[in-house]
Every structure is written in structure tokens, then in C-alpha cells.
């Protein structure tokens, strides 16, 4: 069994928690894209809460493997801190495997990320993700395996430094990664071993960011640097994984961090209310998230391009107590009404059209069920369950 879980919006749908819950039914969880731009919050109980950026999300149980595959760009220091933190918080550390083909995020990538974003205002997380992926494509990247051999590494660094100085006019400061490398060494595995290892196992692939932030199918250029949608699984593993179930996670409303179009965005007091109620502040950067109403046209688009065949809705409980809940069911674009988009760029001109559904006081109410049924009917995909609180087990499967 090979399944994938992705976010269907602009991230922060609560994937971490959903992946952690479902991972109890799998042998391994695999990260296949993104890097430390992700911020997956997992609250196990009142005592244990972790925010992971690189390690896959998981359910605390006897045996589970956490795999960081080749498609992930790795900040060694962040990963080191995450593993150390985990050791302090839980009794049994899961087995960890890190691909030797993963590219390393270097301090210079973070510097470049800042520089680029000060002009090309995407509103990135400044974690060096875009520049690290760009270096990978430019064949300037340093991979984890390169740290094995000091001499070869030195040669590579000299070549890359020359290019950096000539083209970017910045010094390629290569700080001491040896310390982190030595620490992580026991976990480093060849990508082929990872492929062989997962072939006969029950594996859950954990998406990062979300479909609308996918490098190709998202709201380009306001996207992240990797194929974080379901299509990224194959290239991120280096093997044509046959996926059985593709599960999409979406929030009962909508948020976005960073810039880019957002037709149902709220402003002023209304926005503040929803933001505070939903605690919508970035897990990675602490930035206040932009908030708005659920956009079913975008949800339908995300489902179409990701091939998701079932869904989980999160944070319906945040809307408890509202009398009416606006849901976007179409756009007015250049004077014309549409309920489907063919190209995501169309949303830049879109004016949302709402229907107003009855609110609920509690997710046990009939009107909550009606909200779910309305969404299923509009997008044509089943909602398998919903999450009603931040803790891993606060999830109801129908
Ligand atoms: P980058 O991935 O840091 O290059 O940022 C590109 C865009 O994706 C920015 O709008 C970020 O705010 C957004 N982004 C990146 N990672 C996440 C995430 O995990 N959750 C939500 N937004 C993200
Ligand atoms: Mg997040």
C-alpha cells in the first residue's frame, strides 16, 4: 500500500496532524519534496507538541520509519536540532533514514533568498529553499554524499565559489557542516536502499506546502521551489511509485502566507477575528497568515490537478458559532460568471461569488454535516473525515 497526503490549498491545512494520525496504519512516512520551509505542527497530548520542518510527521508507536528522500533539500543544522529535540521529547526514537542524494541548503542560499525576495517579492520563508533548488538544477548543488570525501568536496566548493563570486558577486561561505554531517551519518542511506526498502512496505508519502504552491500547477510565480503536489512523489523518490490512495487535506476556510492572488481574502476586523480564532500565524516564520473564506472553485482545481480521490476537512471547529458561513462557488471574471477555471492565473482577475451556508455551534450539529455534504457535492470527491481540534487523535473518520 502506497498512499500520499497533500494539502489542497496554500499550506497550513493541518497536514502534519493528519499525517501523524494516519501514519499509525503504515510502516514508513516519507518526505519527498520541499525543505525546512514546511512547518508541521503535531500535538500529541498536553505535554508533547512538536513543530517539524524536515522530519516526517508520525504517530508515536512501536515501530515506524521516517524517511527523507532525495527530493527534499536539507538544512543539516535544522535537522540536527529536530532529532535532538525529538530525543528529549519521546521515549523511542523512530528509525530515521536520510537520502545521500538530498541536496544541502547552505547559508549562502538563505542569503540569496533574502536578496531575491527583497526585489522579487514572493514573500518566501527565507529558508533558502528556492536558491537551493535552483542550484540543484544549475548543477551547482552540494549533496549529502559530497560530505563523505573531504578532497572531492573541496574541489567542488572551489568550482562553485568561483561561479558565485563571478555571477552573484557574493562569497560562497561554506561553514563547518562536518559537525552536523558526523552527527547525521548513522541515518544517511543511499537512495537506492530507500527505494528497495519501501517497495514492500506500507508507505505514506507526506506532502509539504500544498497543491496551490506547486512549482508548476500553483499560482506561479507565487509558489515554492518544488513539485510539492502529488506528482512530486515520483521524482522525489526517483522511482515511479504506484499510488493507491491520494488524500487531500483542506481547511474549512482559507489561509495563505506570502504574496499572490487570493480572491476570497478578508481584511480588517473580520480578518483579524478569524486569524485569532484559528491561531493563523506561521509555524515556520511566525508571520500572520492572510485569511479568507473557503473557495470551492480553487478546491476543485486543486483536486483536478492532484488527482486526489478522498479528503479530510480540518478546523471546522474554528467556525463554531457563526450564523452564516460564506463559501465561494464561482467567480465573476471580466463580467462573466464561471464556476471552473482552466488556468489558475484567471484568479488574479476574479471576484468571488458566495453562497451563505447555515453555521453550527458544534461539529456534531446537522448544519455541519450539511456544510460537508455541500462541499462534496460541489467538488465531486468524498470527505472521509474531519479534524476537530489540534491534537493528533482529534479526528473523526466516517
Ligand atoms: P519558499 O517555499 O520559502 O520559497 O516560499 C514560497 C511561498 O510558499 C511563500 O509564499 C511562502 O510563504 C509559501 N510557503 C512555503 N512553505 C510553506 C508552508 O509550509 N506553508 C505555507 N506556505 C508556505
Ligand atoms: Mg505549515
Amino acid at each position: 500500500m502506497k498512499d500520499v497526503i497533500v494539502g489542497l490549498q496554500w499550506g497550513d491545512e493541518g497536514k502534519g496532524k493528519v499525517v501523524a494520525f494516519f501514519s499509525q496504519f503504515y510502516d514508513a512516512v516519507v518526505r519527498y519534496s520541499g525543505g525546512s520551509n514546511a512547518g508541521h505542527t503535531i500535538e500529541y497530548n498536553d505535554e508533547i507538541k512538536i513543530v517539524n520542518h524536515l522530519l516526517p510527521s508520525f504517530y508515536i508507536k512501536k515501530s515506524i520509519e521516517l524517511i527523507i528522500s532525495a527530493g527534499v533539500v536539507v538544512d543539516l543544522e535544522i535537522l540536527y536540532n529536530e532529532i535532538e529535540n525529538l530525543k528529549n521529547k519521546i521515549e523511542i526514537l523512530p528509525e530515521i533514514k536520510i537520502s545521500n542524494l538530498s541536496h544541502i541548503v547552505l547559508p549562502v542560499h538563505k542569503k540569496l533568498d533574502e536578496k531575491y525576495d527583497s526585489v522579487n517579492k514572493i514573500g518566501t520563508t527565507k529558508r533558502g529553499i528556492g536558491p537551493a533548488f535552483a542550484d540543484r538544477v544549475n548543477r551547482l548543488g552540494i549533496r549529502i554524499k559530497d560530505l563523505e570525501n573531504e578532497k572531492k568536496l573541496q574541489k567542488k566548493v572551489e568550482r562553485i565559489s568561483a561561479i558565485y563570486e563571478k555571477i552573484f558577486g557574493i562569497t560562497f561561505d561554506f561553514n563547518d557542516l562536518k559537525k552536523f554531517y558526523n552527527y547525521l551519518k548513522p541515518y544517511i542511506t543511499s537512495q537506492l536502499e530507500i527505494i528497495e526498502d519501501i517497495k514492500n512496505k506500507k508507505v505514506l508519502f507526506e506532502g509539504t506546502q500544498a497543491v496551490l504552491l506547486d512549482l508548476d500547477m500553483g499560482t506561479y510565480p507565487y509558489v515554492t521551489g518544488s513539485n510539492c503536489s502529488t506528482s512530486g512523489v515520483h521524482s522525489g523518490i526517483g522511482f515511479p511509485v504506484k499510488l493507491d490512495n491520494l488524500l487531500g487535506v483542506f481547511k474549512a476556510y482559507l489561509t495563505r502566507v506570502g504574496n499572490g492572488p487570493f480572491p476570497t481574502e478578508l481584511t480588517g476586523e473580520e480578518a483579524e477575528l478569524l486569524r485569532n480564532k484559528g491561531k493563523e500565524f506561521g509555524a515556520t516564520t511566525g508571520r500572520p497568515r492572510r485569511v479568507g473564506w473557503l473557495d470551492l472553485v480553487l478546491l476543485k482545481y486543486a483536486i483536478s490537478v492532484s488527482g486526489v480521490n478522498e479528503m479530510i476537512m480540518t478546523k471546522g471547529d474554528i467556525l463554531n458559532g457563526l450564523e452564516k458561513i460564506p463559501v465561494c462557488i464561482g467567480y465573476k471574471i471580466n463580467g462573466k460568471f464561471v464556476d471552473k477555471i482552466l488556468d489558475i492565473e484567471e484568479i488574479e482577475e476574479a471576484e468571488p461569488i458566495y453562497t451563505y451556508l447555515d453555521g453550527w455551534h458544534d461539529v456534531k450539529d446537522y448544519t455541519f454535516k450539511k456544510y460537508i455534504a455541500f462541499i462534496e457535492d460541489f467538488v465531486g470527491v468524498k470527505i472521509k473525515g474531519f479534524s476537530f481540534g489540534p491534537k493528533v487523535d482529534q479526528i473523526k473518520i466516517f
Side-chain angles (χ1 to χ4, degrees):
M1 181 167 71
K2 306 274 183 289
D3 298 341
V4 61
I5 296 184
V6 291
L8 289 169
Q9 293 159 327
W10 282 299
D12 309 308
E13 299 89 352
K15 288 180 296 293
K17 174 232 158 98
V18 173
V19 170
F21 173 82
F22 280 105
S23 70
Q24 61 184 303
F25 310 115
Y26 297 82
D27 305 315
V29 189
V30 181
R31 279 275 310 263
Y32 62 88
S33 67
S36 58
N37 47 349
H40 293 179
T41 308
I42 315 161
E43 236 178 282
Y44 291 101
N45 48 46
D46 287 335
E47 284 87 49
I48 312 177
K49 176 179 170 178
I50 52 178
V51 181
N52 276 347
H53 302 285
L54 280 163
L55 282 176
S57 308
F58 67 97
Y59 198 84
I60 301 180
K61 61 171 194 171
K62 262 213 186 97
S63 128
I64 190 155
E65 235 174 82
L66 307 182
I67 300 174
I68 297 178
S69 185
V72 180
V73 291
V74 179
D75 186 316
L76 300 182
E77 187 171 0
I78 290 178
L79 185 54
Y80 159 85
N81 285 329
E82 256 169 43
I83 297 175
E84 276 297 285
N85 181 38
L86 212 52
K87 278 185 185 165
N88 291 330
K89 285 203 170 148
I90 63 171
E91 266 169 53
I92 323 161
L93 192 72
E95 193 178 338
I96 296 171
K97 290 185 176 170
I98 307 161
S99 172
N100 66 341
L101 295 190
S102 290
H103 281 246
I104 301 173
V105 180
L106 299 166
V108 76
H109 292 136
K110 288 180 227 172
K111 236 190 271 172
L112 270 181
D113 203 356
E114 293 265 358
K115 277 196 182 206
Y116 274 123
D117 212 59
S118 66
V119 188
N120 186 28
K121 297 189 185 302
I122 306 294
T124 72
T125 60
K126 316 284 188 298
R127 292 295 184 104
I129 305 303
F133 277 116
D135 268 4
R136 182 171 88 153
V137 175
N138 271 329
R139 284 129 308 160
L140 293 175
I142 292 190
R143 302 194 282 191
I144 289 182
K145 73 191 285 240
D146 294 329
L147 299 180
E148 275 164 28
N149 184 319
E150 195 88 43
K151 250 195 179 153
K152 271 187 173 168
L153 176 68
Q154 200 47 41
K155 264 196 170 155
K156 242 187 156 171
V157 169
E158 275 164 26
R159 210 185 77 220
I160 300 170
S161 303
I163 292 167
Y164 261 90
E165 266 158 44
K166 240 184 167 156
I167 295 175
F168 296 112
I170 53 177
T171 314
F172 183 77
D173 57 345
F174 194 81
N175 70 343
D176 191 15
L177 295 173
K178 203 75 197 159
K179 171 184 150 195
F180 303 119
Y181 173 72
N182 286 336
Y183 176 90
L184 296 170
K185 215 169 175 176
Y187 310 115
I188 298 170
T189 313
S190 83
Q191 185 63 28
L192 183 61
E193 272 174 83
I194 291 176
I195 292 171
E196 294 293 348
D197 175 36
I198 62 174
K199 268 187 189 161
N200 297 312
K201 284 189 174 154
K202 282 193 250 168
V203 181
L204 182 59
F205 295 95
E206 177 177 18
T208 51
Q209 290 77 53
V211 175
L212 301 180
L213 287 171
D214 181 84
L215 180 58
D216 295 304
M217 299 315 288
T219 46
Y220 194 88
Y222 301 99
V223 293
T224 190
S226 66
N227 285 119
C228 50
S229 181
T230 47
S231 63
V233 172
H234 302 163
S235 56
I237 308 301
F239 183 79
V241 181
K242 192 177 167 297
L243 294 170
D244 298 299
N245 272 308
L246 297 87
L247 180 70
V249 184
F250 72 98
K251 197 146 58 177
Y253 51 96
L254 194 50
T255 62
R256 168 162 216 174
V257 252
N259 302 323
F262 186 167
T264 59
E265 183 170 18
L266 291 168
T267 52
E269 223 172 274
E270 231 182 341
E272 209 143 301
L273 218 72
L274 188 54
R275 182 179 302 119
N276 290 331
K277 234 178 146 190
K279 300 197 180 75
E280 296 295 351
F281 298 88
T284 298
T285 57
R287 287 180 287 179
R289 294 178 184 142
R290 298 161 66 194
V291 296
W293 299 120
L294 182 62
D295 185 332
L296 292 185
V297 185
L298 272 180
L299 191 63
K300 201 146 99 177
Y301 170 86
I303 290 167
S304 297
V305 300
S306 63
V308 154
N309 64 303
E310 48 187 12
M311 301 189 291
I312 294 284
M313 186 172 92
T314 60
K315 292 184 112 169
D317 52 300
I318 300 299
L319 304 180
N320 284 359
L322 291 179
E323 202 170 315
K324 288 280 178 188
I325 300 171
V327 174
C328 172
I329 48 159
Y331 301 134
K332 213 163 115 185
I333 301 175
N334 299 325
K336 261 179 50 193
F337 174 82
V338 297
D339 64 358
K340 190 180 172 180
I341 46 166
L342 296 176
D343 181 333
I344 197 161
E345 229 176 84
E346 291 175 48
I347 72 167
E348 286 170 14
E349 317 287 319
E351 213 183 288
I353 314 260
Y354 293 105
T355 188
Y356 296 83
L357 301 180
D358 290 334
W360 52 86
H361 288 285
D362 187 282
V363 292
K364 290 190 190 88
D365 293 353
Y366 175 63
T367 42
F368 181 72
K369 287 196 185 85
K370 270 179 75 181
Y371 190 76
I372 286 191
F374 184 87
I375 297 166
E376 284 180 330
D377 192 46
F378 191 96
V379 300
V381 172
K382 209 99 212 97
I383 296 179
K384 184 189 166 91
F386 65 90
S387 136
F388 54 91
K391 299 212 174 68
V392 171
D393 285 314
Q394 286 179 308
I395 191 162
K396 164 124 182 98
I397 306 300
F398 298 125

